[in-house]
Amino acid sequence: MPPIRPGRTVTIHAPPKTPMQSGSAQTLQGGAPAWRLVLEVEPKWANPLLGWTSTADAIETVTRQLQFYTKEDAIAYCDKNGIEYVVEEATPVKKTRPKRFQGYGNNFEVKRLPGGTPIGGLRSERK
């Protein structure tokens, strides 16, 4: 890997699951290599010959592929290669499910039990 210029820092973080992702396989909770190194973005320009976006920063595309299973592995990699880093802690994942009602119209139902549950109960909890 080409060296990173002195004074340039990387951010070590575990990105959350994307809105288009239904499972947690590619996240920290799913056991995938979720910790990544991210460099600050260098300026880019439009190439006048072909109109493509160009950059003089080849290292950015290399670090985009670096993934680690643990935060400690990512920190050890940065220490070994003399890279300055900042660690962003992973955000905790909510384990509670939202309340589900029988249908869309029940969202506007006036008759509810004291806890906010509709009179008929939650469909997901029926047997």
Side-chain angles (χ1 to χ4, degrees):
M1 183 166 101
I4 295 177
R5 279 181 295 151
R8 194 164 179 200
T9 60
V10 298
T11 303
I12 300 172
H13 76 108
K17 126 178 139 168
T18 64
M20 298 300 293
Q21 195 174 356
S22 61
S24 62
Q26 298 298 320
T27 62
L28 185 63
Q29 291 75 27
W35 291 92
R36 297 186 181 155
L37 297 182
V38 178
L39 280 168
E40 59 221 10
V41 178
E42 289 287 310
K44 297 179 181 180
W45 66 89
N47 189 324
L49 180 62
L50 298 173
W52 295 348
T53 302
S54 298
T55 181
D57 187 20
I59 193 72
E60 181 185 353
T61 57
V62 173
T63 57
R64 220 178 290 156
Q65 307 302 321
L66 288 175
Q67 300 178 2
F68 301 92
Y69 282 98
T70 64
K71 175 175 57 172
E72 290 75 24
D73 289 344
I75 291 172
Y77 176 83
C78 290
D79 289 338
K80 178 182 173 187
N81 292 306
I83 302 170
E84 297 177 23
Y85 60 89
V86 176
V87 178
E88 287 182 5
E89 295 299 325
T91 55
V93 177
K94 297 178 196 171
K95 295 290 183 182
T96 58
R97 293 177 62 184
K99 291 181 182 178
R100 292 198 228 170
F101 303 108
Q102 294 174 358
Y104 179 72
N106 288 27
N107 291 333
F108 308 103
E109 183 70 38
V110 180
K111 301 174 187 172
R112 294 185 181 259
L113 297 174
T117 308
I119 297 283
L122 298 176
R123 179 184 284 174
S124 61
E125 295 177 359
R126 289 187 191 162
K127 293 180 177 147

